[in-house]
Amino acid sequence: MKTAVAFAVCACVVILVCAAVEQKSKNCNEVRTAYSSKGFNINDVPNKGVHGAHLKVCPEGFSCCTLEMEEKLSQQSRSDLKAPVSQLSSNLQNTFTQRHQHFDQFFKELLNNAEKSLHDMFVRTYGVMYVKNAELFKHFFHELRRYYASGGAAVHLDTMLADFWAELLERMFRLVNVQYEFTDPYMECVSRHTEQLKPFGDVPRKLRLQLTRAFVAARTFTLGLALVPDVVNKVSTVSASPSCVRAAMKMLYCPYCTGQVALKPCKNYCLNVMRGCLANQADLDTEWNNFLDAMLSLAERLEGPFNFESVMDPIDVKISDAIMNMQENSMQVSQKVFQGCGQPKPTFRSRRSTKDSSFPGRFRPYSPDARPTTAAGTNMDRLVTDVKKKLKHAKKFWSTLPETVCVGERVAQGDECWNGTAKSRYESVVMGNGLANQVSNPHVEVDITKPDVVIRRQIAVLKEMTSWLKAAHSGNDITFDNEEDGSGEESGSGCDSPSCDNDDMYFSTPLPVKPSMVSPEKTSSSGVRLTSCSLVLALAGLTLALLAPHTR
Ligand SMILES: *[C@@H]1O[C@H](CO)[C@@H](O)[C@H](O)[C@H]1NC(C)=O
């Protein structure tokens, strides 16, 4: 009887133990299914749970994982970690690549439309007089386009505009004084007096201000838009540290090894892992936000006083106004020129005075309906409103990435979650964002003394762009200040050697000549138009330059 009871008890224990083992073996079946659904070989998974002391990342004790599986799951966690960040980043990249295209296209289209509109209007208004001189205006638009594409290093706007008006004056001056003959030195004298004579009234001054602001703003803004996808791409592809991959593996796949395939990590656990993994990225946020704020401020300028559309659209009317002014002032202008540059010789070929027929039609107001419109009827305001939304939305992108990742399906709701060792509440404090806050991150080891170089570089790039945007906000182009260094000709700064001093003096001495006369570009384009007058001035400059070192 005694033995029978003992046997029964014994049998009971055996059955219970067998049931427990049976239960755990079943769990490994779930692991097998989950593991193979990830694309791994089902035969890697043991049929029954084994003791996990051999594992590197996951807890000891019962486990369905082998070392080999742990390594494969580590690779998997690396890509699992990357996926949501890449997804969010590429959305941001696409958004701004598109917005850049919209703006760029829009600005280029406005330029083309302005040129076409001017051409049509001037053909109607000035007829053959315009057609004969059309290349002057073609060049004007060509230079504006070149400035928009390549910036101040390629085209100096002030000089370009001064040259344009001087050239226009020269041509108009000849047209309104056909009864006289003018030599090249005489015309040099005329163009030197352009500023003084103000033959075009206030138009050149106003237009210079408006064009400069609008072009600097448009160009810098599109540069800023193009920078976004570039920075996002570089920053988001920074690879995860080994410690981060390890922490992600533990968070994402150790529940597998313990047989709890459906168990999701606790939200705060996820946050700590992600903040550790994205510590460097989060440090981008300050400059990123500064940059976005500068973009937003410039966007407001684009809507207001620096509106490219409202400067470019009526440019034909403005230039026509200038021509009208010159026509009206032609008598006084000519008299002043004759006083300053001498009485010109009359033409020998006796011809009827064509003075009155030089400019046949008076300017007629354009009809607004005849203006070409941009594709899809876009206008500046609509584009700016849309891009402002996107810019605001992109703020804090980097520092909020962990929160954006640790949501929904990726984490468990409530306390029934994987806390790294058990299905239990997560007790640790949540770390702040950024490198400095990771000193005591419980999951990811972060060397806070070694900021990531790629991200450092992008912080510097954002800083520089922000300063360009701020300058553009005040109407200044500083994008080429750095590039110019060492090129010598225009900058002159940054050269310490005495041999540079002479060039420097030659180009920067405030000679009473307009800059175009000494700029190398002008001399080459206008051939041998170095007149006796400017030769004297050039010599004076050279003398000054040579004397300068001795007088110091
Ligand atoms: C996870 O849960 C276990 C068991 O309740 C507990 O001992 C441990 O401290 C928890 N870990 C964290 C990080 O909260």
Side-chain angles (χ1 to χ4, degrees):
M1 188 63 188
K2 224 175 161 189
T3 49
V5 170
F7 180 79
V9 169
C10 196
C12 249
V13 168
V14 167
I15 286 164
L16 277 173
V17 168
C18 285
V21 169
E22 184 70 35
Q23 184 61 34
K24 297 225 164 167
S25 317
K26 243 187 218 158
N27 285 348
C28 275
N29 285 339
E30 271 181 46
V31 176
R32 287 165 76 89
T33 316
Y35 186 78
S36 67
S37 77
K38 292 267 168 197
F40 296 116
N41 188 348
I42 197 163
N43 297 325
D44 291 351
V45 189
N47 285 322
K48 290 177 183 169
V50 288
H51 194 68
H54 54 290
L55 296 179
K56 281 184 177 166
V57 182
C58 292
E60 293 180 11
F62 168 81
S63 179
C64 288
C65 286
T66 62
L67 197 59
E68 193 191 358
M69 284 171 70
E70 217 184 28
E71 259 150 33
K72 285 186 180 164
L73 288 170
S74 276
Q75 291 308 312
Q76 183 64 34
S77 352
R78 186 186 286 278
S79 48
D80 286 359
L81 199 65
K82 231 179 172 177
V85 177
S86 311
Q87 182 62 51
L88 291 162
S89 299
S90 77
N91 287 347
L92 196 59
Q93 283 180 53
N94 292 341
T95 301
F96 281 93
T97 303
Q98 257 177 26
R99 294 318 179 278
H100 172 259
Q101 272 167 8
H102 292 168
F103 270 90
D104 186 50
Q105 251 170 18
F106 181 66
F107 289 139
K108 284 177 180 160
E109 221 171 313
L110 281 177
L111 255 165
N112 291 343
N113 287 353
E115 181 172 17
K116 187 177 183 312
S117 177
L118 181 138
H119 178 81
D120 294 349
M121 181 209 263
F122 281 24
V123 166
R124 280 199 313 272
T125 313
Y126 303 112
V128 72
M129 288 303 149
Y130 162 70
V131 176
K132 274 185 185 163
N133 294 290
E135 98 280 0
L136 174 62
F137 299 92
K138 202 175 166 176
H139 181 72
F140 172 75
F141 282 102
H142 175 77
E143 290 295 284
L144 286 181
R145 234 175 252 122
R146 222 155 61 85
Y147 173 80
Y148 175 73
S150 313
V155 177
H156 192 266
L157 273 184
D158 277 6
T159 311
M160 187 280 273
L161 289 169
D163 289 351
F164 169 75
W165 294 114
E167 187 72 27
L168 186 60
L169 174 64
E170 187 178 324
R171 293 180 190 218
M172 287 193 68
F173 186 79
R174 283 185 197 271
L175 283 171
V176 295
N177 291 293
V178 279
Q179 66 275 41
Y180 296 111
E181 221 172 74
F182 300 104
T183 57
D184 282 349
Y186 195 93
M187 289 322 294
E188 275 296 330
C189 179
V190 175
S191 65
R192 262 200 318 284
H193 287 83
T194 314
E195 297 266 307
Q196 217 178 315
L197 291 167
K198 286 205 190 312
F200 301 110
D202 208 22
V203 177
R205 192 190 63 82
K206 278 187 181 158
L207 202 61
R208 190 190 60 203
L209 199 67
Q210 292 170 336
L211 274 178
T212 307
R213 288 162 156 192
F215 268 79
V216 171
R219 181 177 145 70
T220 317
F221 194 75
T222 38
L223 285 179
L225 289 176
L227 183 66
V228 175
D230 202 43
V231 169
V232 173
N233 175 46
K234 287 187 176 122
V235 172
S236 66
T237 50
V238 166
S239 61
S241 72
S243 168
C244 157
V245 174
R246 199 183 151 87
M249 153 76 204
K250 189 171 181 184
M251 172 173 84
L252 298 170
Y253 292 112
C254 287
Y256 272 56
C257 296
T258 59
Q260 301 162 284
V261 288
L263 189 57
K264 303 276 176 175
C266 309
K267 185 177 169 102
N268 285 351
Y269 178 27
C270 178
L271 279 179
N272 272 342
V273 171
M274 292 314 285
R275 284 185 180 171
C277 288
L278 297 170
N280 276 292
Q281 282 82 346
D283 279 347
L284 198 75
D285 233 32
T286 310
E287 280 311 322
W288 176 257
N289 291 339
N290 287 345
F291 159 75
L292 292 174
D293 282 334
M295 285 291 283
L296 280 163
S297 300
L298 191 57
E300 259 149 43
R301 289 289 213 206
L302 289 178
E303 286 176 310
F306 297 5
N307 190 323
F308 196 84
E309 192 172 19
S310 52
V311 173
M312 283 318 283
D313 220 31
I315 201 161
D316 46 4
V317 180
K318 286 173 185 168
I319 294 177
S320 187
D321 278 349
I323 293 172
M324 289 298 122
N325 287 338
M326 165 65 189
Q327 247 180 291
E328 271 154 27
N329 302 332
S330 66
M331 291 290 270
Q332 295 98 299
V333 169
S334 299
Q335 282 315 306
K336 277 190 202 157
V337 169
F338 296 164
Q339 274 166 24
C341 302
Q343 188 69 30
K345 274 191 238 155
T347 352
F348 285 119
R349 294 158 293 172
S350 68
R351 273 204 199 157
R352 64 196 165 86
S353 167
T354 46
K355 189 174 173 180
D356 296 325
S357 56
S358 298
F359 285 87
R362 290 246 349 147
F363 157 69
R364 286 181 305 270
Y366 66 95
S367 78
D369 316 323
R371 299 181 155 265
T373 50
T374 54
T378 44
N379 64 49
M380 195 72 167
D381 293 340
R382 250 207 292 165
L383 280 179
V384 174
T385 306
D386 163 75
V387 85
K388 271 162 71 181
K389 240 185 268 166
K390 303 292 175 194
L391 287 166
K392 280 179 192 156
H393 192 73
K395 274 205 187 176
K396 298 194 172 171
F397 177 78
W398 303 104
S399 64
T400 56
L401 258 185
E403 278 102 325
T404 322
V405 171
C406 298
V407 289
E409 289 290 287
R410 292 195 202 94
V411 292
Q413 307 302 321
D415 286 345
E416 295 273 280
C417 55
W418 172 244
N419 78 358
T421 46
K423 181 177 179 178
S424 181
R425 256 174 89 82
Y426 182 74
E427 310 278 0
S428 297
V429 255
V430 181
M431 303 288 111
N433 277 306
L435 211 52
N437 283 317
Q438 308 311 315
V439 187
S440 51
N441 190 305
H443 313 290
V444 188
E445 263 175 56
V446 185
D447 185 351
I448 66 158
T449 64
K450 286 202 183 73
D452 182 88
V453 276
V454 174
I455 290 170
R456 283 280 116 191
R457 173 82 197 113
Q458 294 314 302
I459 289 175
V461 167
L462 285 171
K463 253 187 197 156
E464 185 174 38
M465 181 55 84
T466 304
S467 68
W468 293 355
L469 292 166
K470 282 183 175 166
H473 188 266
S474 329
N476 299 316
D477 181 4
I478 57 165
T479 55
F480 59 99
D481 283 0
N482 301 335
E483 292 165 33
E484 247 182 52
D485 274 358
S487 75
E489 282 164 11
E490 270 178 304
S491 80
S493 61
C495 183
D496 299 323
S497 75
S499 64
C500 291
D501 251 342
N502 288 340
D503 288 353
D504 199 26
M505 284 299 278
Y506 183 71
F507 287 111
S508 65
T509 313
L511 294 174
V513 210
K514 66 188 177 72
S516 64
M517 294 189 73
V518 285
S519 95
E521 269 170 82
K522 179 71 181 181
T523 356
S524 63
S525 70
S526 56
V528 276
R529 260 173 53 186
L530 201 63
T531 64
S532 54
C533 216
S534 54
L535 202 63
V536 168
L537 288 165
L539 281 172
L542 212 59
T543 315
L544 269 174
L546 288 170
L547 284 174
H550 302 288
T551 50
R552 253 182 231 158

